[in-house]
Amino acid sequence: MVEFEFDIHKTVGTDRVISVWDKTSLGDCRRSNPQWIAEVTAILGTLGKLSAKAQQLPVPITSFSKLQNSEHRLYLYVDDKKAIGMLKVGTKKLFIRTNEGRYHEIEPLCVLDFYVHESYQRSGVGKMLFEVMLEAEHAVPHKMGYDRPSPKLLGFLRKHYGLSNYIPQANNFVVYNVYFDPHYVPPATLKCADADAKTGEVPATDPACSVKSLPPPPPPPQPPTAVSSGIIGMSMSAAPKRASGRHLQQHALPPLSRPF
């Protein structure tokens, strides 16, 4: 985790653990406050550098200025004075080669940067960030693209969403084969000890596994009641063990067009 001297929740304008940021929220009325700009710059810049280091990238791909000059949205997870994780998404125009050797031009929502501090990994923070993003963006994992996904992210997608097969692309984006399958039905959520490490599949004979029905669609978003930083999400019965247990408040996002 990254701990700051200032109160992060005061900086983001809410005591909730997850907030969403884009160029509009970064350029709201608080832009005239140098201290606020410095604090948000420190939060995003520090997480961006840690993410780049974890992915062995030469330079960070997330910062205050990069987000301010893009159409991307960043989901930020904080707790008390600690910045714990982030997930950045945006649409990209991609040319993807399929199994048949044909190229398709698509424009999916893509995961562009995804980082959870090492001390909080495998505690549910990443899954919560991803689920909140899916709900807010009205997205499904198999209809998304993933920019240079790390082995950890590929394992995450295999374990939680049953995604495993894809064709390596020259642009280093991963788009799963089922993206192009009009008959594909996402699997129900599996509740079991562990999936197979190589295939992500669960043996049918495993008595520890049971299929849990997918949750019903979320209720319509409530009007925003806080700052325009975009407080979003869904009601959670409990936050990850290492977090303080704050719940997420639902927030309306502008409608997003999707090519599917």
Side-chain angles (χ1 to χ4, degrees), residues 46-57 86 113-115:
T46 301
L47 288 176
K49 290 177 181 177
L50 289 172
S51 178
K53 181 180 180 180
Q55 299 179 67
Q56 299 182 335
L57 300 176
M86 66 171 181
D113 202 359
F114 192 8
Y115 174 77

Side-chain angles (χ1 to χ4, degrees), residues 203-214:
T205 56
D206 187 348
C209 298
S210 61
V211 176
K212 182 176 66 175
S213 300
L214 292 174

Side-chain angles (χ1 to χ4, degrees), residues 68-226:
Q68 192 176 39
N69 293 288
S70 73
E71 299 297 327
H72 304 155
R73 292 167 296 285
L74 184 141
Y75 294 79
L76 178 67
Y77 192 111
V78 302
D79 189 31
D80 294 328
K81 294 185 176 182
K82 301 182 291 290
I84 295 171
M86 66 171 181
L87 171 58
K88 185 172 71 173
V89 298
T91 55
K92 290 286 184 178
K93 183 175 292 186
L94 304 174
F95 289 89
I96 299 298
R97 180 172 59 87
T98 62
N99 273 322
E100 296 77 20
R102 298 178 180 177
Y103 281 87
H104 295 261
E105 180 180 351
I106 60 175
E107 195 169 352
L109 179 72
C110 296
V111 170
L112 305 174
D113 202 359
F114 192 8
Y115 174 77
V116 174
H117 193 272
E118 287 74 10
S119 63
Y120 277 78
Q121 291 178 8
R122 305 183 70 85
S123 68
V125 170
K127 183 66 160 35
M128 185 185 291
L129 271 170
F130 204 86
E131 288 291 326
V132 167
M133 177 275 296
L134 291 176
E135 180 181 341
E137 302 284 338
H138 307 291
V140 288
H142 73 280
K143 279 291 190 178
M144 296 177 63
Y146 302 87
D147 187 9
R148 301 175 185 268
S150 67
K152 287 184 178 180
L153 178 52
L154 293 175
F156 173 89
L157 295 168
R158 181 175 61 244
K159 177 181 179 180
H160 294 293
Y161 304 105
L163 299 173
S164 58
N165 297 321
Y166 63 91
I167 303 298
Q169 306 291 328
N171 57 18
N172 293 313
F173 274 82
V174 164
V175 173
Y176 288 97
N177 295 346
V178 291
Y179 181 100
F180 302 100
D181 183 357
H183 305 295
Y184 176 75
V185 178
T189 302
L190 287 172
K191 184 179 181 181
C192 60
D194 281 305
D196 184 271
K198 293 183 178 179
T199 65
E201 298 177 352
V202 178
T205 56
D206 187 348
C209 298
S210 61
V211 176
K212 182 176 66 175
S213 300
L214 292 174
Q222 300 299 316
T225 57

